[in-house]
Amino acid sequence: MSREQGRCWVVRKHEKIYPWNFTEIVNLEESAEKFITNMTAKCTYLVGEDVLPKESLLYSEFMVRNAINNITVDGERLPVDVLEKIFKQLFLAKTSKVTKKTLERFFRQENISFQNIGGIDDKINASMKSYNDFRRIFGEDYIQLHRDEIENIIRWITLFV
């Protein structure tokens, strides 16, 4: 690979470019994507992979689960089944942020006694907004069947909007 090929992000046919044939020779959509992805950061965990968009379904789920894993009730960590219920009933069913008051209502409904909820401030600073937006538009089944497609849509929105 020559030095120019390593830095070049223009996707084109191997013909000479003139102003009058520019749109026929250069693939504008692929060039725009290559230009933007050339500037995106690489993942520090998965070597060579691009970072995920902040609103990605996978990254959003990671951030939510990471946040709820810190929740304690009277100094004790929550069991996995309760964490799963919190994730499904509060984050996958709502579009707004989950607050400490929301958690208190949830614990009362689930008959979980508590005096002190710890591990969070007033609200959990993570959400499943993208998931809930796509669910509202397409429905739950569509998300499960077309998750990769939705991740690509989120990626394109992140890159080009």
Side-chain angles (χ1 to χ4, degrees):
M1 178 179 356
S2 74
R3 231 176 42 165
E4 291 170 0
Q5 287 174 328
R7 292 181 302 185
C8 185
W9 42 261
V10 174
V11 178
R12 55 175 265 181
K13 297 177 184 172
H14 292 288
E15 296 178 33
K16 190 161 180 149
I17 299 175
Y18 296 102
W20 54 85
N21 71 353
F22 182 82
T23 55
E24 289 85 35
I25 303 300
V26 175
N27 185 328
L28 296 175
E29 288 84 20
E30 284 186 41
S31 295
E33 183 173 356
K34 201 169 176 186
F35 172 75
I36 296 293
T37 56
N38 186 43
M39 293 188 295
T40 58
K42 297 295 181 192
C43 181
T44 56
Y45 295 108
L46 302 171
V47 178
E49 294 292 324
D50 290 335
V51 295
L52 291 171
K54 184 179 179 188
E55 297 299 325
S56 159
L57 300 178
L58 180 62
Y59 186 69
S60 295
E61 183 174 343
F62 169 78
M63 292 300 292
V64 167
R65 289 185 184 276
N66 195 44
I68 64 177
N69 279 338
N70 293 326
I71 298 172
T72 59
V73 173
D74 300 331
E76 298 290 322
R77 293 217 182 258
L78 296 172
V80 174
D81 62 321
V82 174
L83 292 173
E84 196 62 26
K85 280 184 179 179
I86 290 171
F87 179 73
K88 288 181 178 174
Q89 292 178 18
L90 299 182
F91 287 94
L92 296 185
K94 295 182 66 126
T95 55
S96 61
K97 296 276 185 181
V98 175
T99 65
K100 214 173 217 183
K101 288 188 186 285
T102 311
L103 283 171
E104 289 172 0
R105 276 194 304 274
F106 172 80
F107 291 144
R108 283 189 199 101
Q109 289 171 349
E110 294 294 318
N111 295 319
I112 298 172
S113 62
F114 67 93
Q115 292 196 3
N116 183 27
I117 298 174
I120 62 166
D121 294 325
D122 290 333
K123 66 181 179 181
I124 295 175
N125 293 323
S127 72
M128 294 295 292
K129 183 182 179 326
S130 295
Y131 178 90
N132 288 313
D133 288 347
F134 277 97
R135 188 194 63 208
R136 194 172 45 255
I137 296 167
F138 297 111
E140 184 81 31
D141 294 338
Y142 187 86
I143 293 174
Q144 301 311 319
L145 295 172
H146 299 93
R147 196 168 181 103
D148 290 341
E149 195 175 294
I150 291 170
E151 290 286 14
N152 272 336
I153 291 169
I154 293 169
R155 182 174 176 266
W156 292 332
I157 289 169
T158 302
L159 292 177
F160 298 116
V161 175

